[in-house]
Amino acid sequence: MNLGFIGTGKITHSVVTGICGSSLKYSKILVSNRNRKISKNLKKNFKNVFVAKNNQEIIDKCEWIFLAVTPTVAKKIIKNLKFKKNQIIVSFIATLNLSYIKKAVKVKAQVVRAIPLPFISLRKGPVPICPPNKKVKNFFNKLGSTIEIKNEKLSNNFWAMSGMMAPFYQLLSTKADWLVSRGVNRDNSQKYITSLFVALAEDAVVNSKKDLKYLVKDSQTPKGLNEQGVKELRKAGFYRLTEKTLNSILRRLNKV
C-alpha cells in the first residue's frame, strides 16, 4: 500500500512522522514538494518517504490520498486532478465539506474527513473521522484514538474544538511569561507549566468517566487558591468568552 500526501505543511509532517514510527504496514509514502523544506526533511529522515514530481504522480501511484492543503489551494487544484474510484481519500481540510470534496474528485471513491492535530506525530490523541469507515478507523487507531462521527454537521463541533489548540498554547505561554516576569528562569518556568498541564490532563483522562465538573469541584478547597482562581475567572467571563469563541468558529464551519 502506498500513501500519498497532497500538501506538505505542519499536519502532513506530523502525520507522516507518526506513521513512520508506528506499526502501520505500507510500501511507500509520497509527498508533494509544495513546501520543499518539509518534504526534503521527511525524505531525509525516513527511508520510505519520497518526494513526487507533482500531485498527479501521487494520485497515480498511491491507494490512499491525504488532502492537506489550505481550502484556497484545494479549490484551485483538486478539480484538475484525476482520482481513481478504488482509492481512499482522506481530507484534512477544515472548511470544505464532504459534498464539495466528492464533487471535486469526480469519481465514486471513499471520501472521509479527518481531524489530526500535530501531536499525532507522537501517536497520541483523538482523531475524529466522518463518515465512519473501518479501514480509516483502523489506520488512525495506530496513530491515536479514532472517534467515528456519522453526522457531518455534528462533526463540525469537533472541528471547532480543534481551533482551541493555539489558544491553549497561548494560555501556557501567558502563564510561563508570568513566572518569568517574577524572576523565574525561562527554562524552569516552561518546564513547570508544561509538566503541570500534562499531569492535569492525564488525571482528567484517568477520571474521564466522571463528569468533568466533579474534577473542578474536587480540585478546590473552601477559601483556597483554586476556589479563588475559578471564581475570579468566572466573574471576569473567561469561560463565557471561550464558549463564545467556539460558537463563532462553529458558525464559520456551518456556512460551508
Side-chain angles (χ1 to χ4, degrees):
M1 174 173 80
N2 290 338
L3 310 175
F5 288 79
I6 295 177
T8 45
K10 173 68 174 177
I11 292 301
T12 290
H13 185 275
S14 297
V15 175
V16 171
T17 300
I19 292 170
C20 292
S22 74
S23 60
L24 282 166
K25 295 181 180 180
Y26 60 92
S27 299
K28 296 179 181 179
I29 297 177
L30 269 67
V31 298
S32 63
N33 62 356
R34 182 169 182 81
N35 186 315
R36 292 183 181 179
K37 182 178 180 180
I38 292 178
S39 60
K40 286 176 66 176
N41 178 267
L42 289 171
K43 181 182 178 181
K44 179 182 177 181
N45 290 336
F46 306 109
K47 65 178 182 179
N48 290 329
V49 174
F50 302 86
V51 180
K53 292 181 293 185
N54 53 54
N55 290 327
Q56 189 58 52
E57 182 187 8
I58 292 173
I59 294 170
D60 292 342
K61 293 183 176 180
C62 298
E63 290 76 32
W64 286 50
I65 307 296
F66 298 86
L67 303 177
V69 291
T70 65
T72 302
V73 172
K75 289 179 180 179
K76 290 180 180 180
I77 69 170
I78 294 177
K79 61 185 178 182
N80 298 319
L81 297 172
K82 295 180 180 179
F83 293 83
K84 303 172 186 176
K85 64 181 180 180
N86 62 338
Q87 289 175 319
I88 292 178
I89 301 170
V90 182
S91 173
F92 299 157
I93 308 168
T95 56
L96 293 183
N97 59 30
L98 283 169
S99 177
Y100 182 92
I101 299 295
K102 287 180 178 180
K103 185 176 180 180
V105 302
K106 299 186 184 71
V107 296
K108 290 187 177 180
Q110 296 180 63
V111 180
V112 177
R113 294 178 73 198
I115 316 174
L117 295 174
F119 42 73
I120 197 170
S121 64
L122 305 173
R123 299 180 300 285
K124 290 186 176 183
V127 184
I129 67 169
C130 180
N133 182 294
K134 186 176 180 180
K135 289 183 179 179
V136 177
K137 176 184 178 180
N138 292 338
F139 179 89
F140 282 115
N141 272 342
K142 300 287 188 179
L143 303 176
S145 302
T146 309
I147 300 173
E148 293 186 297
I149 309 162
K150 295 181 179 180
N151 183 291
E152 186 173 23
K153 187 174 182 180
L154 187 63
S155 76
N156 281 343
N157 294 290
F158 291 85
W159 283 102
M161 193 59 69
S162 73
M164 290 288 104
M165 181 175 62
F168 171 74
Y169 288 134
Q170 180 60 58
L171 182 63
L172 298 188
S173 179
T174 299
K175 293 177 185 295
D177 288 345
W178 185 88
L179 287 174
V180 171
S181 71
R182 278 147 185 82
V184 180
N185 174 275
R186 169 67 67 179
D187 289 343
N188 287 338
S189 66
Q190 292 198 170
K191 182 178 180 180
Y192 175 75
I193 292 298
T194 54
S195 298
L196 172 64
F197 277 80
V198 164
L200 288 170
E202 289 181 350
D203 183 57
V205 169
V206 169
N207 291 282
S208 61
K209 291 185 178 181
K210 300 178 182 178
D211 191 309
L212 289 175
K213 66 183 180 183
Y214 292 112
L215 290 181
V216 178
K217 183 179 179 180
D218 289 346
S219 62
Q220 301 175 59
T221 54
K223 297 183 180 180
L225 303 180
N226 279 279
E227 182 184 73
Q228 178 183 348
V230 77
K231 280 185 175 181
E232 290 189 11
L233 287 172
R234 280 174 178 163
K235 187 176 181 179
F238 178 83
Y239 304 108
R240 289 196 303 274
L241 284 174
T242 300
E243 290 181 2
K244 184 178 179 181
T245 299
L246 283 167
N247 288 335
S248 178
I249 295 172
L250 182 61
R251 283 194 296 271
R252 176 184 173 189
L253 290 164
N254 285 337
K255 286 180 180 179
V256 300

